[in-house]
Amino acid sequence: MVEINQEKCIGCGKCAEDCVARNIKIKEKKAEVKADCIKCGHCVAVCPVNAVSIPEYDMDDVAEYHEECFRLNPRNVLNAIKFRRSIRSYQPKQVTQEDLELLVQAGRYTATAVNNQGNFFVIVQKECEELKERVWRFIDEMEECNKGHISADKRPFIRFNQRRKADSSDDFLFRNAPAVLFITSKWPLDAGLAAQNIETMAVSLGIGVLYNGYLARIVEADGELKKWLGIEGKTIQVCMLLGYPARNYRRTAPRKKANVIWR
């Protein structure tokens, strides 16, 4: 439940006005919570006297607004978006734990449908080599079981496996990235929004990202691998390779003109 400190509350009504569930009322010049809610936290964020809390959350993590923290130059933001690249070559060093934790925070604070906060993040770095071994073992088994009857959706994985067997240094599927991030969710959009925020944070940290749909599909198909990752019963919506880029890009890449209707 949302709690309102009656001694602090000044009865301004801002929390009631901003409550999407209309779950707060003003009674005798004090705010009161009528029933349980989705705990979106708008009431916490809008209160001018910090009288509202949600005890089941970490209230020490709530930050105060300071205008200087939000002075983003629109042109700089657009340039950051335009300079973003899919990174397919990484430096041979691990991503720091501090940077990884910032990526998780960026994902954790992303909007989710009805505030379900259902995204689950798995970052594999220390055990990345074991992840690779398990993935290739599963692909080997898939190839063995489907000899002569390889369906179109499985052919890319067989080609990756053939490349690996022909040249053990060809790490086409993992791109020699030091870390892999999986995002599970019931809602694809929730995971996609979190991934975008994570990538934005990654760019600010000098970390490169590559969305890897192939790896997401193969891990999603391997029940034992999902169990090893601790996400049995969950649905992988996003897979991202992470690492410090091995190449520098000197300019933005060209794009088609925007498909847009102005009305």
Side-chain angles (χ1 to χ4, degrees):
M1 288 288 290
V2 171
E3 291 186 359
I4 299 175
N5 185 319
Q6 295 296 301
E7 293 183 1
K8 286 185 176 181
C9 179
I10 59 175
C12 66
K14 294 183 185 298
C15 56
E17 293 170 2
D18 206 40
C19 180
V20 66
R22 296 185 177 180
N23 231 7
I24 300 176
K25 64 180 180 180
I26 303 299
K27 182 179 179 181
E28 297 178 357
K29 298 182 179 181
K30 295 288 183 179
E32 288 187 0
V33 180
K34 293 190 287 187
D36 200 2
C37 64
I38 65 173
K39 305 178 184 69
C40 68
H42 275 231
C43 50
V44 174
V46 78
C47 179
V49 293
N50 195 23
V52 189
S53 63
I54 305 178
E56 70 181 80
Y57 294 161
D58 180 9
M59 295 304 298
D60 290 336
D61 194 41
V62 175
E64 293 293 324
Y65 174 83
H66 297 287
E67 185 178 355
E68 60 271 18
C69 296
F70 294 88
R71 292 175 182 165
L72 299 177
N73 182 297
R75 287 295 173 187
N76 289 346
V77 173
L78 180 57
N79 276 334
I81 294 170
K82 290 171 67 176
F83 270 93
R84 174 259 169 212
R85 299 264 60 79
S86 292
I87 302 303
R88 295 178 173 85
S89 181
Y90 299 90
Q91 297 179 37
K93 67 176 183 179
Q94 294 202 327
V95 180
T96 68
Q97 185 64 30
E98 181 181 11
D99 284 354
L100 291 175
E101 289 174 0
L102 286 172
L103 299 184
V104 171
Q105 292 302 314
R108 179 169 77 98
Y109 272 96
T110 301
T112 55
V114 294
N115 194 41
N116 68 81
Q117 299 183 57
N119 288 331
F120 193 95
F121 307 98
V122 179
I123 297 178
V124 184
Q125 180 164 251
K126 293 179 181 178
E127 299 178 278
C128 202
E129 288 305 313
E130 183 172 353
L131 171 65
K132 291 181 181 182
E133 290 175 8
R134 287 175 175 270
V135 166
W136 291 123
R137 189 185 311 145
F138 181 70
I139 294 176
D140 279 336
E141 293 170 358
M142 178 194 300
E143 187 173 8
E144 183 65 28
C145 293
N146 293 275
K147 275 188 175 179
H149 303 281
I150 305 298
S151 59
D153 64 315
K154 293 184 174 65
R155 286 171 190 160
F157 304 111
I158 305 305
R159 288 199 299 271
F160 299 158
N161 209 17
Q162 291 171 345
R163 288 178 58 162
R164 177 182 67 93
K165 290 177 178 178
D167 180 2
S168 60
S169 66
D170 186 346
D171 194 27
F172 184 82
L173 184 57
F174 290 89
R175 301 285 180 172
N176 291 311
V180 181
L181 166 64
F182 297 98
I183 305 177
T184 76
S185 177
K186 293 180 181 179
W187 297 273
L189 181 59
D190 285 359
L193 290 172
Q196 187 63 74
N197 277 354
I198 287 171
E199 182 177 20
T200 299
M201 176 61 78
V203 170
S204 77
L205 295 168
I207 296 171
V209 168
L210 177 68
Y211 292 97
N212 195 325
Y214 285 122
L215 188 53
R217 283 165 51 198
I218 200 67
V219 176
E220 178 63 27
D222 186 349
E224 286 300 311
L225 183 45
K226 288 179 69 177
K227 185 176 181 179
W228 176 76
L229 287 169
I231 52 175
E232 190 176 16
K234 300 180 184 295
T235 302
I236 296 172
Q237 302 289 2
V238 176
C239 174
M240 306 164 75
L241 304 183
L242 303 170
Y244 301 109
R247 298 190 180 97
N248 295 320
Y249 295 93
R250 297 181 177 273
R251 58 196 59 83
T252 64
R255 287 288 183 266
K256 296 177 181 178
K257 289 190 178 298
N259 294 317
V260 59
I261 296 175
W262 305 99
R263 301 189 62 172

